[in-house]
Amino acid sequence: MKKIIFFSFITFAFNAFAQDHFTGVTTSSRVGILNVGVNPAELPNLSKKFEVNIYGLSLNFSNNVIGIKDLSSDTDIENLLFTGDRIVNAGADIEYAGPGVAMKWKEWGFGISSKGHIKFDVVDVDPKFANAILNTDDITESGTTFIKNDYNQRMSGVSWGEIGFSAGRTVFENEKHRFNAGITFKLLFPGSYANAGVDKFQGNVTTVYDPNNPNNSAAYLTTSIPVNVNFSYSGNLADRFTDVNDYTSSVFGNLGGVGSDLGVNYQLKDSDKKYKINAGMSIRNMGSLTFKDSNNSSNSYVLDIPASDPLNLNIFDGTESLVEVEQILKDQNYLKNETSNKDFKARLPTLFSMYGDFKVYHKFYITGYLQTKMGDNNENRQITAQNSFSIIPRINLGYFEAYIPFSHNEISGGNTGLGLRLGGFYMGSSSVISTLSSNTKKVDFNMGFRWAFL
């Protein structure tokens, strides 16, 4: 069976690396535009009067099954990922920080930023269900497997761009304390979207092996109870999502939504005009993307495959798009009770964040950062997010800074990384040390350059 329609997202994820972005840089005491991305209330704290962002790139991949040392040039990723009984979660996330500028003036700070996002996610996929779909070419025996999943199994991909307008103000300040508040208003530009969701699947996979002619072997799927399914797609991902170019060529679409960030910030000042404590809280990515492409479609059905008329999974050979899969199931009369929407919205990955950067001694700081998602990743039109926590010791010598992030991600677990900053140039990873010393399930990398003056 041709596996590309169900598994090309996975391949893209591993090829692209792949949700904490710019770890370490965004909470540095060298405050700049990247800090504003975490909390707009940081704007009045800019280290220089002006800053220009030239570029920034962050790549992040995490999963809960495959370790980096499990991979090799001949690794069969799909077999490895869906081996065992563990529900599979994986995410690939790319963020590009484009041109931007920020400035502070008296008690105020202002900024304009641009970003591009590419995301792919596998959410709560049952390995037995995935194997039934992906591995019909490898049938070696006859038998029946019962599958029961209590989640909405999803594969989804999305790309979008945004332009942010930020403002922050110091609302109270004396010799010891400073309180800031800030807001970012975002114009959103949806690019492409695709989602396939199968909610609370219960059913059987029956394999029929022909020892005389293995090519005639087949796998058949039936449902024990009717199952809710969703197919949504827009832009380039409607027809195909097997090529990274299908994502990168459509990051910025037409204007289709607004979003916002809100934040507050507190500083306990030090005697040298720096701070002893810099702490903040924010709610980010409130809003949604409205997809209005000419090939838009968001259809929800009830999937019912009776034992008297099982679905031969080989029927999907040659398919390359969700459109084809959906049409095949409709032609076979397995999809009932259609609910259809031409235009649809996808909710942004809203996050609650809080952090504290503590001056321990002279140039040595320790940062704690907590990120909690506010959406449900099981919902079909929810762009996913991950819960995470980081402890980041750092030394900041002014022009040079080094830091070691110790982080924990809800999908990949614990990781250790390393980052460096030289003037406006930065480069780092929250997992590079783990990658070299252990079988980490996360790989990430970030780098960029910004210029601050006056």
Side-chain angles (χ1 to χ4, degrees):
M1 176 182 178
K2 191 171 184 179
K3 303 175 182 180
I4 198 166
I5 179 60
F6 294 100
F7 209 72
S8 58
F9 278 168
I10 299 285
T11 305
F12 160 68
F14 276 90
N15 286 339
F17 296 91
Q19 196 155 349
D20 300 339
H21 286 294
F22 304 105
T23 300
V25 184
T26 55
T27 51
S28 169
S29 55
R30 191 278 196 200
V31 178
I33 291 178
L34 291 177
N35 303 64
V36 177
V38 171
N39 185 354
E42 289 283 358
L43 269 168
N45 300 332
L46 288 173
S47 296
K48 298 287 186 178
K49 187 173 182 179
F50 295 96
E51 181 174 273
V52 177
N53 191 71
I54 308 302
Y55 75 95
L57 180 65
S58 179
L59 313 172
N60 188 318
F61 170 74
S62 59
N63 80 104
N64 66 336
V65 178
I66 300 177
I68 191 69
K69 293 183 179 179
D70 299 325
L71 301 176
S72 63
S73 59
D74 59 350
T75 297
D76 189 335
I77 296 177
E78 61 267 30
N79 284 337
L80 189 59
L81 191 65
F82 295 114
T83 296
D85 298 321
R86 190 173 186 180
I87 298 297
V88 177
N89 285 276
D93 197 348
I94 301 175
E95 181 175 308
Y96 175 73
V101 61
M103 63 167 289
K104 61 179 179 180
W105 177 70
K106 297 183 178 180
E107 298 88 3
W108 288 90
F110 302 95
I112 300 175
S113 60
S114 62
K115 292 182 181 180
H117 303 266
I118 297 174
K119 283 178 57 62
F120 156 74
D121 293 284
V122 174
V123 180
D124 291 332
V125 172
D126 189 301
K128 291 184 291 185
F129 181 77
N131 271 317
I133 296 172
L134 298 174
N135 294 325
T136 54
D137 285 341
D138 304 322
I139 296 172
T140 58
E141 61 182 19
S142 299
T144 299
T145 301
F146 176 69
I147 299 172
K148 183 179 184 297
N149 185 292
D150 295 327
Y151 307 98
N152 182 26
Q153 303 178 74
R154 297 179 60 201
M155 286 189 177
S156 67
V158 62
S159 64
W160 81 96
E162 63 182 53
I163 297 177
F165 303 89
S166 304
R169 191 184 192 281
T170 299
V171 295
F172 174 81
E173 184 174 16
N174 60 22
E175 292 182 356
K176 287 292 185 180
H177 309 281
R178 173 191 282 180
F179 290 91
N180 300 335
I183 184 172
T184 296
F185 175 77
K186 302 177 182 180
L187 299 178
L188 306 176
F189 301 86
S192 296
Y193 184 82
N195 179 79
V198 182
D199 192 21
K200 298 180 177 62
F201 180 87
Q202 292 187 38
N204 293 293
V205 175
T206 301
T207 56
V208 179
Y209 177 63
D210 184 349
N212 297 318
N213 189 352
N215 290 331
N216 288 336
S217 299
Y220 298 89
L221 184 69
T222 60
T223 55
S224 301
I225 60 173
V227 179
N228 293 322
V229 298
N230 174 265
F231 295 102
S232 299
Y233 34 81
S234 179
N236 290 359
L237 301 186
D239 299 321
R240 188 183 63 166
F241 48 83
T242 63
D243 192 331
V244 175
N245 289 332
D246 292 331
Y247 294 81
T248 58
S249 64
S250 61
V251 172
F252 270 84
N254 295 321
L255 179 62
V258 295
S260 62
D261 303 343
L262 297 173
V264 293
N265 169 259
Y266 165 74
Q267 286 189 350
L268 176 63
K269 296 182 182 181
D270 205 351
S271 56
D272 60 355
K273 296 184 180 181
K274 301 294 185 180
Y275 60 75
K276 294 180 180 178
I277 299 174
N278 183 57
M281 295 187 299
S282 64
I283 300 177
R284 294 181 283 143
N285 294 330
M286 295 179 287
S288 60
L289 304 167
T290 300
F291 290 89
K292 294 183 177 181
D293 196 83
S294 58
N295 58 1
N296 265 24
S297 181
S298 179
N299 300 322
S300 296
Y301 306 90
V302 173
L303 176 68
D304 189 6
I305 309 173
S308 59
D309 184 23
L311 169 63
N312 185 340
L313 294 174
N314 288 345
I315 199 173
F316 295 116
D317 283 356
T319 56
E320 292 189 357
S321 72
L322 291 180
V323 177
E324 294 176 271
V325 173
E326 181 182 18
Q327 190 60 51
I328 288 172
L329 292 173
K330 291 177 71 174
D331 291 344
Q332 297 294 313
N333 204 32
Y334 292 127
L335 297 178
K336 317 287 186 182
N337 303 328
E338 176 182 1
T339 300
S340 180
N341 295 286
K342 181 64 176 175
D343 297 333
F344 60 89
K345 293 183 178 182
R347 289 180 291 276
L348 292 179
T350 306
L351 298 167
F352 171 76
S353 302
M354 60 187 303
Y355 59 89
D357 190 35
F358 303 88
K359 184 177 182 179
V360 179
Y361 177 75
H362 198 42
K363 303 293 185 178
F364 182 64
Y365 296 78
I366 291 182
T367 304
Y369 175 81
L370 173 68
Q371 171 180 292
T372 303
K373 63 188 177 189
M374 300 181 70
D376 183 354
N377 287 348
N378 282 129
E379 295 184 8
N380 281 309
R381 288 192 288 275
Q382 174 67 60
I383 301 173
T384 66
Q386 298 176 18
N387 298 327
S388 65
F389 176 73
S390 301
I391 297 292
I392 310 170
R394 72 176 75 242
I395 183 169
N396 189 341
L397 303 179
Y399 193 77
F400 174 79
E401 183 176 3
Y403 44 92
I404 302 177
F406 299 91
S407 62
H408 188 276
N409 178 288
E410 69 170 313
I411 290 181
S412 60
N415 290 281
T416 304
L418 176 66
L420 302 171
R421 178 182 61 82
L422 187 64
F425 174 79
Y426 57 90
M427 178 174 62
S429 166
S430 64
S431 61
V432 63
I433 294 178
S434 296
T435 300
L436 298 174
S437 62
S438 67
N439 200 23
T440 180
K441 296 179 177 64
K442 177 179 180 178
V443 179
D444 73 297
F445 174 77
N446 68 78
M447 66 179 297
F449 180 75
R450 61 262 175 89
W451 178 45
F453 54 97
L454 298 184

